[in-house]
Amino acid sequence: MENTEEYSPLRITPTVRALSSALRGKREDVLDGSRENGDRIFPETEKLWFKESSAKNLRNRDFLSPTTMLNTLYADGQVPPAVMSRVLSLRGSGVLPVAGGEVTGEGLRVRVDRAAAFKAVLADAATEYLKPSGQRQGCVVLNCPALHPKPNTPTPDTLTLGQLRTVLLADHMGALLRRQGLAVSYCPTLPEDSDIITFLRALGIDWPTAPANWTNEEREEKIQEALENSPYKERETERGRRTSGGGGGGGGGRKAEEGENEGGLRVNLKRVFQEEGLLGYDPSIGTCIVHRDSVSHLAQLDRATADCTVAMATVLHVTSCQDEFRQQQIAVLWRASGATHTQRHLVCGPVKTPGSHLTAAQYLQLRRGQMKEASEMKYGDQVEGQTWDDIIRVMTSATLRFELLSTVHTSPVTLDVQREDGVSTKGPRGGVFVMYNCARLHTLFDSYERGVEKGLYPEIPDTSKLDFSALKEEGEWLLLFNYLITFSEQLDQSGQALDCEGGGARVNIKTEQICKFLVSLSKDFSSYYNRVHVLGEPLPHLFNQMFCRLHLLRALRELYHSALETLNLPPIRQL
């Protein structure tokens, strides 16, 4: 057991918990406080300590318990010697080693043993620090209403930018959830060789397909029969007193539908969510006329969940705010047909392009043209051939993903598509900037390998043979502490919201985190790389520091690859 604890991956969360436990200590170490209301109420564990992240603060401390917290726990904020001793001798599974601490006017500062942390993290960086801290079980179906036929299969010219945002978000969520060990499938299945599939593949999206002549008629008939026999089917005697409700033909068309298909099948959706206790649904949902495209949509969902290896699946409807009402109708209608799977709605804000109106196809064409032009301006005549075509395709996909996914999913995205310099190959401009810095790491290691071939440098030794106290540059610790150590916990967060019960129909997930993580990483790496000459003179007394830096940067290269993989973006190896 001792070895297991000693070699557990270092994490921020267990370190903060251990620090909090050490600070609270035994009951007699803590100020008794007011006895008027019985036992004292102590601060929440996560508020006792704060992890530092800015380069300025990391010069002096890695964790801080503010003076306000110390005053809450101890008389006059004076930390007892026994408590200080526990903090300084902190140990535990996944806990960062402490090198020292002191009480200042700001609070109790703690500094990590950085050399030990470098050695521990970089020894396991390629395995333990690039995956979630734990694996989950279950099945998630990502349903993208924008891709369902209404009644025809959408095309790149009919897909709006808001709908494209939902497709990219579903693709990103699928990669994240798979990383956590969940089985993921996508809905709907699209006709192979259709224009929309070609368009999605150009963006690096691998969506499920079926032959063009494939039909789902058997499942559609099954769904239709289930609705005909549903206890929520509206009888003729109820029609005179029903409340006005939305139809299956789409949001905004409620009044138009009241006068059509009077003899068609109607389902009282309001009764469904009221009697089955479904929370968070629009109270104005009333009676729904069941149209063919609605049945087709439900049959696709039925097919996607039938492929799940577990009895119960979670279905995540990734929809635009404009289509949310319509998708709530579909979800409740599916429940009326007898489906019992958990359904959640991930709703995206609109995409705005002031002064212009672009379809998804036009947006891709615009950004691809800008990316090609920017590359030609920077690299000249060498921008030709299949290799550069592939680079421009990936860079364009990266641009679109970062533009549409870097914002909190509930918030609107505003794109400036009229600027001539809409895509830049330099500067902290999202996807291009991230891919450029990933390529710099590959270029660095190509240069090192050429140096090895020429006999200038020896091969990189194992971490156990290096002295990591040589890494004294503040940017080095910042890259390890803010990115390499924290990445696995970033991955953990993406699926946690799906597990929350009683939160209503909507689910809010921090879908923007990976994009922001990569942009922030790229800014800090670029600053470090521009300041530090990694491949120094081929002198033996300089090799230890160079090899320590190469281990760090090799781990960062793998971190880029792992993070980009969750966006289904391959790394660019040259620019």
Side-chain angles (χ1 to χ4, degrees), residues 393-436:
R393 175 180 54 79
V394 173
M395 296 290 273
T396 303
S397 178
T399 298
L400 267 64
R401 288 173 187 269
F402 277 80
E403 285 186 332
L404 295 180
L405 300 181
S406 295
T407 303
V408 176
H409 68 83
T410 54
S411 300
V413 171
T414 301
L415 300 176
D416 189 347
V417 297
Q418 294 186 314
R419 288 177 52 184
E420 293 183 2
D421 61 338
V423 174
S424 172
T425 57
K426 53 188 175 181
R429 296 287 301 276
V432 174
F433 182 62
V434 168
M435 303 303 281
Y436 170 70

Side-chain angles (χ1 to χ4, degrees), residues 364-378:
L364 175 61
Q365 183 179 12
L366 172 68
R367 290 297 189 238
R368 182 190 290 131
Q370 291 173 330
M371 189 68 246
K372 182 174 176 58
E373 183 179 353
S375 300
E376 289 172 342
M377 289 181 64
K378 184 170 184 178

Side-chain angles (χ1 to χ4, degrees), residues 491-504:
L491 294 176
D492 288 334
Q493 294 172 8
S494 57
Q496 290 173 350
L498 292 179
D499 298 330
C500 296
E501 298 293 337

Side-chain angles (χ1 to χ4, degrees), residues 5 14 18-19 86-99 113:
E5 287 190 358
L19 284 168
R86 281 198 301 270
V87 169
L88 297 181
S89 60
L90 208 62
R91 294 290 182 272
S93 177
V95 175
L96 285 153
V98 172
D113 183 340

Side-chain angles (χ1 to χ4, degrees), residues 520-531:
S520 180
L521 167 63
S522 298
K523 289 178 181 178
D524 286 332
F525 165 68
S526 181
S527 174
Y528 170 76
Y529 193 76
N530 291 335
R531 192 170 62 249

Side-chain angles (χ1 to χ4, degrees), residues 40-58:
R40 181 181 180 84
I41 298 176
F42 298 109
E44 297 176 25
T45 297
E46 62 270 21
K47 294 181 179 179
L48 285 175
W49 289 91
F50 296 91
K51 173 195 173 294
E52 296 294 359
S53 58
S54 71
K56 177 182 176 182
N57 288 338
L58 286 174

